[in-house]
Amino acid sequence: MKSKHNVLILVSLFISFWLTALPASAADLAQVKAAGLVGEQMNGYLGLVNPNAAGDVKALVNSINAQRQAEYQRIATKNGVPVDEVARLTAQKVIGQTPSGQYVQTPSGWQRR
């Protein structure tokens, strides 16, 4: 089993990739996050802050979460660690980098930073 350090490096690379490689999705994601419709969950996936969000917002969340799942699985397989661990480590980093005004999930529910 590879070290947690290697997983953290790959998680950091994934986050960098995610923030730069998908311009159309990233722009849409930035918009819905800024509008307070979507936030980062503690499990490494996006969540709907407002469960009554429009269908296109739900579709965007589902699409991005599917892409994240595939990448988490790739990193987990490469490093011989559970996919949940990769997702959790990613969540910690992404939540820590979430800009002020956007929502993150906490143990007590959604919180605006």
Side-chain angles (χ1 to χ4, degrees):
M1 182 152 101
K2 296 191 180 182
S3 74
K4 187 174 181 178
H5 178 71
N6 288 344
V7 174
L8 287 173
I9 290 170
L10 288 171
V11 164
S12 293
L13 290 172
F14 170 65
I15 292 168
S16 296
F17 165 79
W18 188 255
L19 294 175
T20 60
L22 302 170
S25 307
D28 294 341
L29 179 57
Q31 290 171 350
V32 295
K33 280 183 164 184
L37 301 172
V38 172
E40 292 291 341
Q41 297 183 110
M42 296 178 345
N43 66 1
Y45 297 93
L46 293 172
L48 295 170
V49 175
N50 178 350
N52 298 321
D56 59 335
V57 173
K58 292 177 182 178
L60 176 66
V61 167
N62 290 337
S63 173
I64 291 172
N65 282 343
Q67 293 172 51
R68 286 185 180 188
Q69 169 62 33
E71 186 61 14
Y72 295 160
Q73 185 62 58
R74 186 191 69 74
I75 292 169
T77 300
K78 182 175 181 175
N79 289 279
V81 298
V83 70
D84 303 7
E85 181 178 347
V86 176
R88 183 183 52 76
L89 291 170
T90 302
Q92 289 173 356
K93 292 197 70 93
V94 171
I95 287 171
Q97 295 174 357
T98 297
S100 180
Q102 293 184 3
Y103 282 91
V104 297
Q105 186 184 47
T106 68
S108 59
W110 290 110
Q111 178 181 352
R112 189 179 289 258
R113 293 198 101 194

